[in-house]
Amino acid sequence: MAPIAARDRSAALFAELGPWQRALRAQFPIITGNPELAYLDSAATSQKPQAVLDAVQDQLTNANANAGRGSYPWANAATTLVAGTRDRIKTFLGDPDPARSAVHFTGGTTEGLRVLAQDWLPELLRDGDEIVVPFADHEANLSPWLEARDRLARQGVRIRVREMPYQTSSGDYDPAALAESTGPRTRFVAATHVHHVYGGNMNVHLIRRVVGPDVPICLDAAQSIGHLPVSVAELDVDFVVFSGHKALALPGSGALWARQARGPEFVPGGWRGSPNTTGVASLSAALDWLGAAGTDRIARWTVALAARLSDGLRRLDAYEILGCQRSLALDSPVQQRCGIVTFRHRDIGARDLGFILFSHGFMVRTDGHCQGRAGERSSSVRVSLHVYNTPEEIDRLLTVLTSLV
């Protein structure tokens, strides 16, 4: 059993935040409307609070028009919405110089990373330059950089792509090894804030110390925006890319924030078509909701839920928990998982286990989770949590998993 002190701290946290969490959970119609189900797949897409649904309905019924292409009131309202949401994103990220930075709306993280790789990175690089990118994170934070390398090679510009090094024990990035992998020709680093399979905060704040003051850093924040505080001032990164649908907003929404301080100015290529005003409306409302709820408290809640699950799973020999093995217990001496716990049953395949869990009312993800070529190749079960999840759901899940030992 977990030490009494650790159990007491966990119980105290749930008691402290319980009334706050219950008030927030009540604002998700799909959650309250399906009390027999436990949605445990928020890393794939999050559910939407009523405030976001209302904002979308209001935009479509009261001011639905194209932004930047008209002078009548509805069009003006759409234009104001888009401009205001850009400012809202900068505030949400703690932008230290909002007059200088830029925000480009995208369809999500994958599109944002590809836009950066296609429209900005080639201007930065010269023959013989090097970039460092993660090979064991999400494929979306690997493929665009390799595609950029190949396009440049066809133009006679040869760049070297180095693999971001990882610590064997924790799965976090390895700053010491990164220092050995970088040099005077290092021009760019891509990193992930929270790993989408292992749930670890990848300690990206250490990267700037390693690469120095001049190298641009791009942050894939798909699993951190809306889940924990993100400060671009503290992280000192140059780009933040995220998906709205993982941060309580609609699918097909997202943004790329650019500091505009290192390297060439970021300007998206091509003609800028009509913005996704409905998605922008949902994103603005979602950031307002998250700001009022407090991402610091959301992080405390989901980290505690993940620790409750990993602490219970580690006692069951039938399961292999992926990622850092020192962060499983309630009294773990290292950082615990940011609302994501991924595991395998040693005898039951992940897909079959997913069907079994759904028969008990649990919705989880069961596949390879879109990892890059150096990541996990075998399927696994991923439980990913948000503020609408409860300790009772975790306890019921552990009861079912225990019965399958």
Side-chain angles (χ1 to χ4, degrees):
M1 297 293 290
I4 292 175
R7 296 202 306 273
D8 288 347
R9 287 195 300 272
S10 178
L13 183 144
F14 287 126
E16 173 197 348
L17 296 181
W20 163 85
Q21 188 272 341
R22 287 190 289 274
L24 297 184
R25 176 182 166 91
Q27 298 176 41
F28 290 83
I30 197 170
I31 299 294
T32 58
N34 295 276
E36 75 285 1
L37 298 176
Y39 183 75
L40 306 176
D41 196 21
S42 292
T45 198
S46 61
Q47 298 304 334
K48 322 305 176 192
Q50 188 64 53
V52 170
L53 303 177
D54 289 344
V56 171
Q57 181 75 4
D58 180 69
Q59 192 271 332
L60 289 174
T61 56
N62 294 317
N64 183 34
N66 211 335
R69 289 166 171 79
S71 58
Y72 52 91
W74 291 358
N76 291 338
T79 302
T80 300
L81 167 68
V82 171
T85 304
R86 286 195 174 96
D87 293 337
R88 184 70 186 90
I89 290 170
K90 294 179 182 183
T91 300
F92 191 82
L93 294 176
D95 189 337
D97 193 1
R100 182 178 192 176
S101 63
V103 171
H104 172 64
F105 291 110
T106 71
T109 304
T110 301
E111 180 185 324
L113 293 169
R114 295 194 78 241
V115 166
L116 193 62
Q118 292 176 4
D119 296 342
W120 176 84
L121 189 65
E123 295 295 319
L124 176 73
L125 300 174
R126 300 293 180 267
D127 192 64
D129 284 344
E130 300 179 351
I131 65 175
V132 181
V133 304
F135 275 62
D137 299 354
H138 199 287
E139 182 70 25
N141 203 13
L142 172 61
S143 291
W145 317 121
L146 299 182
E147 292 168 1
R149 175 201 61 188
D150 295 343
R151 282 196 302 273
L152 287 168
R154 290 193 291 270
Q155 299 167 15
V157 179
R158 295 160 298 177
I159 67 168
R160 180 175 182 180
V161 178
R162 289 184 175 270
E163 296 188 28
M164 175 73 79
Y166 298 81
Q167 297 178 10
T168 303
S169 60
S170 67
D172 296 339
Y173 297 142
D174 187 336
L178 178 61
E180 297 177 0
S181 300
T182 56
R185 299 305 301 268
T186 301
R187 296 288 183 261
F188 173 78
V189 174
T192 301
H193 199 182
V194 171
H195 200 280
H196 72 294
V197 176
Y198 307 130
N201 184 322
M202 302 298 285
N203 292 319
V204 295
H205 64 285
L206 301 175
I207 294 177
R208 175 61 63 199
R209 304 179 197 175
V210 174
V211 302
D214 301 322
V215 176
I217 300 172
C218 173
L219 187 66
D220 174 351
Q223 299 297 345
S224 56
I225 295 292
H227 296 265
L228 68 158
V230 179
S231 168
V232 295
E234 293 179 6
L235 296 173
D236 198 9
V237 294
D238 298 272
F239 301 96
V240 172
V241 189
F242 66 96
S243 301
H245 74 98
K246 297 179 189 291
L248 310 185
L250 290 186
S253 64
L256 190 169
W257 171 87
R259 186 183 292 272
Q260 306 287 49
R262 299 180 180 96
E265 180 183 5
F266 168 71
V267 179
W271 176 257
R272 297 193 187 189
S274 300
N276 175 10
T277 50
T278 305
V280 170
S282 75
L283 187 55
S284 179
L287 296 182
D288 286 344
W289 192 94
L290 289 165
T295 51
D296 55 338
R297 286 180 291 181
I298 292 174
R300 291 175 64 200
W301 184 263
T302 56
V303 167
L305 289 178
R308 192 182 187 100
L309 176 56
S310 64
D311 189 77
L313 270 177
R314 72 187 178 95
R315 307 171 194 282
L316 305 175
D317 291 339
Y319 295 93
E320 171 198 7
I321 306 175
L322 306 187
C324 179
Q325 298 302 296
R326 297 177 59 224
S327 63
L328 303 179
L330 284 175
D331 58 343
S332 169
V334 297
Q335 65 163 343
Q336 292 171 315
R337 287 159 168 75
C338 298
I340 296 174
V341 180
T342 305
F343 57 91
R344 298 188 185 99
H345 194 289
R346 301 190 190 279
D347 298 315
I348 303 174
R351 186 173 178 82
D352 290 338
L353 183 54
F355 283 123
I356 293 171
L357 291 177
F358 181 70
S359 72
H360 291 275
F362 299 102
M363 293 177 280
V364 298
R365 177 151 174 186
T366 58
D367 58 21
H369 314 298
C370 303
Q371 276 199 271
R373 60 191 61 180
E376 301 282 344
R377 300 265 60 89
S378 300
S379 296
S380 54
V381 174
R382 184 180 69 184
V383 170
S384 51
L385 307 157
H386 216 304
V387 69
Y388 35 74
N389 294 119
T390 66
E392 292 75 21
E393 289 175 335
I394 299 300
D395 292 343
R396 288 195 291 112
L397 176 62
L398 283 169
T399 297
V400 173
L401 293 172
T402 300
S403 72
L404 301 174
V405 171

